Amino acid sequence: MSFLLLLLLASGAAFAQATRTWVSGVGDDANPCSRTAPCKTWAGAISKTATGGMINCIDPGGFGAVTITKSITISCKHVEGSGLASLSNGIVINGAGIDVVLRGLDIDGSPTASPGLNGIRFLQGASLIVDDCVIRDFKGGAPNGNGIIVINSSLVASVHVINSNISGNGTGTTGAGIQIAPTGTGGANVTITNSVFSNNIVGVRADSAATSGAIDVTVTDSTAAGAPFHGFVALGAGGPVRMMLNRVTSTNNLGEGVRAAGANADIRIGSSVVTGNGTGLAAASSGQILSYGNNQINGNTVDGSATAVPLK
């Protein structure tokens, strides 16, 4: 009897999940993912990490793609923690009510013959924080090709992008640095701070065509540059889309620096620079751009103008 009890206890210990696990470029997914016996990939470590736990990187390495279905943090801020995604999504968030933090990651779409689909695909969850990350070169065809895509079908997703660089995403006319496009009754509350969106097909796009829910986007101290189409876009054909731009720069985009289209699209802009674009400010189909009157809108082929008197 005592032998059987010991055997059961040993078995339970073998399958116990740790609150903190580790990956290494020379690890092995057969390991327990401890500091002294790390795993090789994020996918290998996540099954051995408890809900609400954390995965850290010991040293630089490529740790692959991963699907996240529980609350967790992946943090590799002080080393090179990268994931190469060829013909797949880099990271998928898909768990009811989960809170996910991604910090210090380099998510690469492999800009070769087999490009990745989306850097981060948010399908379901309560919140996502993307902090100090690089997301680049996801060029999968429609409806893919986004650095981050938010397409929850219910509830309100809370997404925060901080201190990140999102570049080179999309192909042809499809894709964006971040595409916020919930479906069904889904909504989104998105904040973007101190981040750069460069050379994406579109910098930041919020689109309510497929949802009756509301989309609220606040962008502060950030830049959208070098897009073959537009910098910041609000499309309000479905539920309301409300975008606040504060101390942003939209520059050298071939299309429009700031675009609001659709009766339910409102953009408020203050203390910002819009220059070097095909058109600076553009409102269409009853969309509105509301200015605080303290912006620098000049040097565009067509500067355009706000659609309402200055806000106070």
Side-chain angles (χ1 to χ4, degrees):
M1 179 66 72
S2 59
F3 174 79
L4 180 59
L5 179 60
L6 288 172
L7 186 62
L8 289 172
L9 288 172
S11 176
F15 290 97
Q17 293 181 321
T19 56
R20 192 172 191 181
T21 57
W22 304 83
V23 293
S24 167
V26 293
D28 189 324
D29 283 346
N31 288 339
C33 305
S34 65
R35 182 69 175 81
T36 55
C39 285
K40 176 72 172 176
T41 67
W42 290 323
I46 199 168
S47 64
K48 299 171 186 178
T49 308
T51 298
M54 178 182 292
I55 301 172
N56 289 127
C57 302
I58 294 176
D59 50 30
F63 303 115
V66 63
T67 294
I68 299 174
T69 58
K70 59 187 174 185
S71 295
I72 203 162
T73 295
I74 301 178
S75 181
C76 301
K77 191 164 183 175
H78 301 295
V79 296
E80 179 74 12
S82 66
L84 186 66
S86 176
L87 299 177
S88 67
N89 296 289
I91 297 177
V92 176
I93 314 296
N94 190 14
I98 67 174
D99 300 301
V100 175
V101 178
L102 306 174
R103 181 175 292 120
L105 309 186
D106 186 337
I107 308 170
D108 190 342
S110 180
T112 55
S114 304
L117 302 181
N118 301 286
I120 299 172
R121 190 168 187 245
F122 187 104
L123 291 172
Q124 183 182 200
S127 71
L128 168 65
I129 296 174
V130 179
D131 179 14
D132 196 26
C133 290
V134 174
I135 306 171
R136 54 197 168 109
D137 295 324
F138 284 86
K139 300 182 181 296
N144 304 301
N146 303 284
I148 302 171
I149 184 167
V150 180
I151 48 172
N152 52 300
S153 61
S154 63
L155 304 178
V156 178
S158 179
V159 178
H160 309 281
V161 180
I162 311 159
N163 301 325
S164 293
N165 192 313
I166 301 177
S167 65
N169 300 288
T171 185
T173 61
T174 301
I178 179 168
Q179 168 90 344
I180 307 151
T183 64
T185 59
N189 187 343
V190 178
T191 61
I192 300 168
T193 306
N194 196 34
S195 295
V196 175
F197 298 84
S198 61
N199 302 314
N200 304 287
I201 294 297
V202 170
V204 175
R205 181 195 285 120
D207 185 352
S208 69
T211 184
S212 59
I215 301 173
D216 290 284
V217 182
T218 301
V219 188
T220 305
D221 297 319
S222 297
T223 297
F229 286 91
H230 316 306
F232 297 97
V233 180
L235 303 175
V241 178
R242 299 175 288 254
M243 183 178 289
M244 176 69 211
L245 304 178
N246 184 36
R247 298 193 305 272
V248 307
T249 299
S250 185
T251 184
N252 297 327
N253 302 293
L254 293 182
E256 294 150 357
V258 178
R259 175 178 175 80
N264 289 329
D266 288 343
I267 296 178
R268 286 169 166 77
I269 180 170
S271 303
S272 296
V273 177
V274 181
T275 188
N277 304 287
T279 300
L281 305 181
S285 303
S286 301
Q288 290 196 86
I289 298 176
L290 311 174
S291 171
Y292 286 91
N294 58 353
N295 302 293
Q296 299 176 58
I297 314 295
N298 54 45
N300 305 283
T301 303
V302 177
D303 286 333
S305 62
T307 55
V309 295
L311 298 168
K312 296 182 180 179

